[in-house]
Amino acid sequence: MEQAAYLLCADIGTSSLKAAFISTSGELLAFIREPYPAERVLSGTVLATDWEDAFTRAVGALEAVLSLRGNRAKLAGVAISGNGPTLVPVTRTGQALLPLHWHDGRVARIADTAAAPSLFLPHAAYLAQKEPAHYETTGRFLSTHEWLSWRLGAEPVTVIPNQAYIPYYWDKTQFAAYGLDGDRFPPFVEQGQPIGAISAAAAERTGLPRRLPIISGGPDFITALIGTGVLLPGMVCDRAGTSEGINVCAKQGSRSRYHRTLPHVQAGLWNVGAMLPTTGRLFEWFRHITGQENRDYREMLAEILQCQETCKGRDFFFPDIRSSGSLRISNAFFSTAGLTSRAELGYAVIESIAFMVRSAIEGLEKEGYRIEGMRLSGGQAKNPYWNQFKADVTGRWLAVPEIADGELAGNACLAMKGLGLVPSLEAAIEQTVKIKEVYEPVQRHYALHSERFEVYTAMLHKMERFFE
């Protein structure tokens, strides 16, 4: 029996590119993660060509997996998502300049930000003001996934989730406010639309079939919402990788300056997010300073959690996790009441990460957004030890979909819609998003963690001057 067609889905992250082959029936056939050069990740200078190199390696690795399995299905299309609001300045000759990364602090400010809510123009305006020579040579600005799609053969476009997002990208009024030329910004196209096909040059570079359709993916957090099925009011997605975001689907937005309110992918609803920009890279910092870069995550977590009974109650870890121009941890300090091993330090680190997540949840609940549980997305969701620990610390159930990387599942759903394989996005989600496992908090553990959390929070408030 002939197998179903499949889709190539990719997501451009901060430190690596993830890619997968997903069947049009919603089955994960193969997955790969390709990191970027480590030093450029740490210094915040990852190049657009690093994304393309990682994508090309990923395609080869995925095809090798399917070849070993004897898969004879047809590749039907490709869809790519990426982090934002990163922008790639592309010169008129097609050269990609150093991306204006979302985390690197290169943004320009204007007085009336309320009248100019664009998430992208502050980055472009920085280039115009601080690097005018580069700005003058720039023919167009593309986001991560738009640039890679363009390199593969797509038209230069700006992909928006829906029309409600236009003010958060740009318009004529905001171009004038920032003093920018609107001709450098490509036209809008909504997610899930055909935007081109693999060119002859891209086919030669990547090995992909020439004329393979390219479907617009979009911002990673939106594709994660699609890929976890978080489409109804009250549903929550915890999307965790290098950075993390607790995203609540709500009928009303938040006015709190601590939360980011944006339109939801579902018309008339809002996505209220509590952003935790450094939870994932904090653990990477721990791996680096303890020389464990090549160890398996599950193995490390198992070792760390084995010592929790002996180290619990002694040590707290208080990181300074501000990001300015890089993804390095600038400072970190902890109590030294009795650390005797890297596992004990590891426990203090992961406990501080879990406490950050709990603080974010409680902050959302203070604004009226009730959170009983969350659907997980991202690399962290694949670690059962971490999932249970996070459930125990936060006191919320955590659900893991069969395709744990929501961005990839979301891209598959958008591609199915764009290729006309399903009648609607909702139909694609129904056949793709399936919950694999639910982690329930152990109440005894939750009570103990709650005692620790109260002490930690009180100490943190006393130490706030260190984070000014």
Side-chain angles (χ1 to χ4, degrees), residues 93-113:
T93 59
Q95 178 188 0
L97 303 179
L98 177 66
L100 296 149
H101 290 285
W102 66 270
H103 55 74
D104 66 16
R106 291 186 296 160
V107 294
R109 308 292 182 186
I110 59 174
D112 190 5
T113 56

Side-chain angles (χ1 to χ4, degrees), residues 36-214:
Y36 313 134
E39 281 307 307
R40 286 206 282 271
V41 171
L42 287 172
S43 63
T45 57
V46 172
L47 305 175
T49 52
D50 292 328
W51 308 330
E52 185 172 22
D53 291 343
F55 177 83
T56 302
R57 295 195 305 270
V59 171
L62 293 172
E63 289 179 340
V65 171
L66 286 200
S67 179
L68 288 173
R69 295 180 179 177
N71 188 295
R72 296 182 180 179
K74 179 182 178 182
L75 181 57
V78 56
I80 303 169
S81 58
N83 60 51
T86 297
L87 281 179
V88 183
V90 181
T91 68
R92 293 179 180 86
T93 59
Q95 178 188 0
L97 303 179
L98 177 66
L100 296 149
H101 290 285
W102 66 270
H103 55 74
D104 66 16
R106 291 186 296 160
V107 294
R109 308 292 182 186
I110 59 174
D112 190 5
T113 56
S118 172
L119 302 173
F120 294 85
L121 294 188
H123 297 271
Y126 175 92
L127 196 72
Q129 295 174 16
K130 302 297 184 180
E131 302 176 29
H134 283 159
Y135 179 77
E136 287 304 318
T137 64
T138 297
R140 61 174 65 99
F141 287 97
L142 297 172
S143 194
T144 54
H145 53 95
E146 297 156 1
W147 180 85
L148 184 52
S149 295
W150 170 71
R151 283 285 296 165
L152 293 174
E155 293 296 318
V157 296
T158 300
V159 181
I160 57 174
N162 51 49
Q163 295 297 306
Y165 264 84
I166 289 177
Y168 300 95
Y169 278 71
W170 46 71
D171 52 37
K172 291 182 178 180
T173 300
Q174 295 188 77
F175 285 142
Y178 280 100
L180 297 172
D181 180 3
D183 291 341
R184 288 180 168 86
F185 299 84
F188 292 129
V189 170
E190 291 193 19
Q191 289 180 302
Q193 301 294 320
I195 55 174
I198 299 296
S199 67
E204 185 175 350
R205 291 195 307 269
T206 64
L208 290 171
R210 187 178 178 184
R211 300 189 182 90
L212 179 73
I214 302 173

Side-chain angles (χ1 to χ4, degrees), residues 234-236 361 371-376 387 390-392 394-400 435 437-441:
M235 298 184 75
V236 184
I361 291 172
I371 300 177
E372 296 180 352
M374 306 184 292
R375 294 191 177 193
L376 302 183
N387 292 340
K390 187 189 283 190
D392 289 345
T394 63
R396 274 73 176 179
W397 55 259
L398 305 175
V400 181
I435 299 302
E437 192 168 8
V438 177
Y439 294 83
E440 297 280 357

